[in-house]
Amino acid sequence: MLALGLVLNTLGIGLFCWLIFALAVYALPFFVALSVGMLAFHGGAGVVGALLIGLVSGASTLAAGQVAVAVSRSRTLRIAIAAAFAVPAAIAGHHVMFALSQIGVPSLAWRETFACLGAVCIGGTAWTRLTVFAETRPLESAGVAENMPRPVLTAATHER
């Protein structure tokens, strides 16, 4: 029974870690949905109305962020939007990894180290998942990259 418990605990922690990485990009939309839903509930929208308003606001935040990163031509704007999604994910990752490290790490310094590494990894995952929709473009220095003439290949070039 002890072996089965160890295996199931390991699988459960592994599943939980996979879930954290898979849901990292949704930290900002979840926060927005929760905040707007609570505001709507306290404004008198009721439980169902607040739930619907929260879901719509969270989904629209995620969609707007992904579309803005995908269509933006400004690198600075893309970085700002991706950072807005990655920072809450990194904070959530720090707290999750700190809580998980309390299970088996007695030293506070090592718990903080693992928590900081988790924050970097989970924030980087959120950054990557958001910017995967961004179109890669060549360097745009006054249109030079787009209008470069291609060298003409002659028969003498092929013989060498």
Side-chain angles (χ1 to χ4, degrees):
M1 274 317 228
L2 183 63
L4 180 64
L6 289 174
V7 169
L8 288 178
N9 280 333
T10 303
L11 287 175
I13 290 173
L15 179 68
F16 188 67
C17 289
W18 170 80
L19 191 64
I20 292 299
F21 279 102
L23 298 177
V25 76
Y26 304 115
L28 178 68
F30 178 75
F31 175 72
V32 168
L34 189 65
S35 298
V36 170
M38 291 300 287
L39 245 149
F41 181 72
H42 289 297
V47 175
V48 176
L51 183 67
L52 290 175
I53 290 171
L55 283 173
V56 168
S57 65
S60 62
T61 300
L62 178 64
Q66 287 179 340
V67 167
V69 167
V71 300
S72 174
R73 297 190 66 82
S74 170
R75 185 177 305 243
T76 307
L77 183 61
R78 275 194 242 158
I79 289 172
I81 295 169
F85 276 80
V87 168
I91 292 170
H94 179 273
H95 290 292
V96 166
M97 291 307 293
F98 188 77
L100 283 178
S101 67
Q102 286 180 346
I103 293 172
V105 181
S107 171
L108 181 61
W110 279 107
R111 278 188 259 163
E112 279 296 330
T113 303
F114 287 138
C116 289
L117 286 173
V120 168
C121 292
I122 292 173
T125 299
W127 181 286
T128 304
R129 285 181 182 244
L130 187 67
T131 58
V132 78
F133 296 109
E135 180 182 324
T136 57
R137 295 183 179 93
L139 293 176
E140 299 163 359
S141 57
V144 174
E146 297 157 359
N147 298 327
M148 293 289 291
R150 294 182 175 234
V152 179
L153 298 175
T154 60
T157 312
H158 288 293
E159 292 175 1
R160 290 185 201 177

